């Protein structure tokens, strides 16, 4: 059931017009970065699951054209952000690193001996479709060597069963690496997303306006992501098998070393950053996005500690800042080049 929309009030129009001067709208670097490495998308920007159900549809956001100025009803910063984050499809970040972009990126590390998946999107069907697109376009049939959860929010682990069989995880064939102890990760993943899931989902709907029609007087993305992949969601979970509890721990996955920085009590109760020295690639999970830090969430997640955000980002720069050549993230188009510090 949708909701009716109303035009912007004169006050909103005045504020949004004045805000245009607050932003460097002529700087188009983000558009180039967001398009860099594009390989392919889907027919009509739609994805269907094996039952024929629509699970991704980018068409409602076509009105957010790259060359269209912000309408009177939309803050120009949100409009600009939406123009960039609405992109989907398969992208090459650097040799050995790919993103399949939905509302949450499926990050695929093409290591020498197998694929390492960093975060699994919101749904098993989306994850499966993303992996199939990668395999088809890259003619890559390497086995999945490992799964990594960067943190305890459902949109980063819920697609796992679209990628691996639970029996392969249980046997040790495919490890799942995650921050914190296994018990702690399970506690926060299940507590926030299952036990309080109904209330949190309803609050999230109000927070992001998910029941509004997608138009310039309704839902204009959710800023961090398009907000369009919320239909026919098939959420799954497999508990991690390998917990990262100390900064500096290294795991060899698929033939490459992955070094971890443990960053608890930041954007999520359990979170970590990942450095892949072989390709000089860094992710700070959701602790570094092309948006403001989300300290106190309206939807009801735990209030975050801003001091920890700063602390762990500083520590990341000290450890790898001189070497990093690309920063990528689960909701982020990449940033290339050490001149930017590799972190948006």
């Amino acid at each position: 059931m949708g909701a009716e929309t109303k035009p912007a009030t004169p006050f909103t129009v005045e504020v949004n017009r004045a805000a245009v001067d607050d932003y460097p709208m002529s700087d188009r670097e983000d558009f180039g970065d967001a398009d860099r490495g594009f390989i392919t998308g889907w027919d009509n920007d739609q994805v269907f699951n094996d039952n024929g159900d629509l699970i991704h549809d980018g068409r409602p956001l076509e009105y957010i054209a790259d060359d269209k100025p912000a309408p009177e009803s939309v803050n120009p910063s949100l409009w600009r952000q939406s123009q960039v984050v609405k992109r989907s499809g398969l992208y090459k970040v650097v040799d050995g690193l790919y993103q399949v972009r939905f509302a949450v990126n499926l990050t695929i590390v093409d290591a020498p001996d197998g694929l390492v998946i960093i975060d699994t999107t919101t749904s098993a069907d989306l994850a499966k479709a993303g992996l199939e697109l990668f395999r088809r376009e890259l003619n890559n049939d390497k086995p999945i060597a490992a799964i990594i959860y960067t943190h305890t929010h459902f949109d980063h682990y819920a697609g796992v069963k679209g990628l691996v069989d639970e029996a392969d995880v249980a046997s040790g064939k495919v490890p799942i690496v995650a921050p914190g102890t296994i018990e702690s990760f399970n506690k926060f993943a299940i507590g926030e997303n299952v036990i309080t899931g109904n209330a949190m989902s309803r609050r999230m709907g109000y927070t992001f306006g998910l029941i509004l029609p997608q138009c310039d007087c309704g839902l204009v993305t959710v800023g961090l992501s398009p907000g369009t992949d919320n239909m026919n969601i098939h959420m799954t979970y497999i508990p991690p098998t390998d917990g990262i509890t100390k900064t500096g721990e290294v795991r060899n996955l698929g033939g490459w070393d992955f070094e971890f920085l443990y960053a608890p009590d930041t954007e999520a109760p359990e979170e970590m950053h990942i450095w892949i020295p072989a390709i000089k690639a860094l992710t700070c999970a959701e602790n570094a996005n092309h948006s403001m830090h989300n300290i106190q969430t309206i939807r009801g997640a735990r209030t975050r500690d801003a001091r920890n955000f700063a602390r762990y980002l500083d520590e990341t720069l000290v450890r790898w800042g001189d070497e990093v050549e690309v920063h990528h993230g689960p909701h982020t188009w990449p940033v290339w080049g050490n001149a930017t510090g590799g972190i948006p």
Side-chain angles (χ1 to χ4, degrees), residues 52-229:
D53 301 317
L54 185 63
I55 56 175
H56 165 84
D57 190 359
R59 297 175 305 165
L61 299 182
E62 290 177 350
Y63 76 94
I64 309 176
D66 285 357
D67 58 353
K68 183 178 178 180
E72 294 178 336
S73 56
V74 183
N75 183 280
S77 181
L78 174 59
W79 186 258
R80 168 69 170 262
Q81 182 82 349
S82 299
Q83 288 173 318
V84 183
V85 301
K86 74 187 184 85
R87 287 155 164 77
S88 63
L90 173 63
Y91 293 77
K92 178 180 177 179
V93 180
V94 293
D95 288 340
L97 182 63
Y98 298 83
Q99 288 179 336
V100 184
R101 297 184 194 162
F102 297 107
V104 182
N105 299 334
L106 179 75
T107 298
I108 303 173
V109 181
D110 186 8
D113 302 327
L115 306 179
V116 179
I117 309 296
I118 302 177
D119 290 335
T120 68
T121 80
T122 56
S123 170
D125 293 328
L126 285 172
K128 180 181 178 183
L131 181 61
E132 288 175 348
L133 182 69
F134 168 82
R135 291 197 185 283
R136 182 173 68 248
E137 293 299 320
L138 277 300
N139 192 27
N140 189 312
D141 60 358
K142 289 181 182 178
I144 291 182
I147 303 285
I148 299 175
Y149 301 150
T150 59
H151 60 290
T152 49
H153 292 157
F154 82 92
D155 49 337
H156 301 267
Y157 64 71
V160 63
K161 289 188 179 180
L163 302 168
V164 293
D165 191 298
E166 193 164 8
D168 287 337
V169 176
S171 71
K173 179 180 178 181
V174 180
I176 297 181
V177 185
T181 65
I182 295 170
E183 293 77 11
S184 177
F185 192 95
N186 286 338
K187 171 187 172 182
F188 289 113
I190 294 171
E192 184 170 306
N193 300 293
V194 178
I195 295 175
T196 62
N198 288 338
M200 291 275 283
S201 295
R202 185 165 63 179
R203 289 179 179 179
M204 183 171 66
Y206 286 122
T207 300
F208 296 115
L210 297 181
I211 66 171
L212 294 174
Q214 288 165 319
C215 64
D216 56 19
C217 287
L219 173 60
V220 187
T221 79
V222 298
L224 190 64
S225 69
T228 55
D229 297 334

Side-chain angles (χ1 to χ4, degrees), residues 291-311:
S291 60
M292 294 180 66
H293 294 306
N294 192 3
I295 303 300
Q296 186 168 2
T297 69
I298 301 174
R299 67 186 175 90
R302 286 175 36 154
T303 299
R304 287 76 184 258
D305 190 332
R307 297 170 301 174
N308 282 342
F309 269 106
R311 169 190 169 189

Side-chain angles (χ1 to χ4, degrees), residues 248-271:
E249 290 192 63
V250 176
R251 300 290 187 272
N252 188 277
L253 307 171
W256 277 347
D257 284 343
F258 289 66
E259 186 175 347
F260 300 94
L261 186 147
Y262 184 43
D265 293 318
T266 48
E267 197 271 339
E270 294 290 9
E271 191 140 359

Side-chain angles (χ1 to χ4, degrees), residues 270-293:
E270 294 290 9
E271 191 140 359
M272 64 187 181
H273 303 174
I274 307 167
W275 168 243
I276 311 174
I279 52 177
K280 299 185 182 302
L282 171 70
T283 180
C284 295
E286 281 197 58
N287 288 336
N289 285 308
H290 292 283
S291 60
M292 294 180 66
H293 294 306

Side-chain angles (χ1 to χ4, degrees), residues 247 261 273-275 282-284 287-288 293 309-327 335 337-344:
T247 291
L261 186 147
H273 303 174
I274 307 167
W275 168 243
L282 171 70
T283 180
C284 295
N287 288 336
H293 294 306
F309 269 106
R311 169 190 169 189
Y312 291 121
L313 288 173
D314 282 347
E315 187 175 344
T316 298
L317 287 171
V318 169
R319 294 183 73 88
W320 303 308
D322 291 339
E323 298 179 73
V324 61
E325 290 296 340
V326 65
H327 178 270
V335 172
N338 194 265
T340 64
I343 300 178

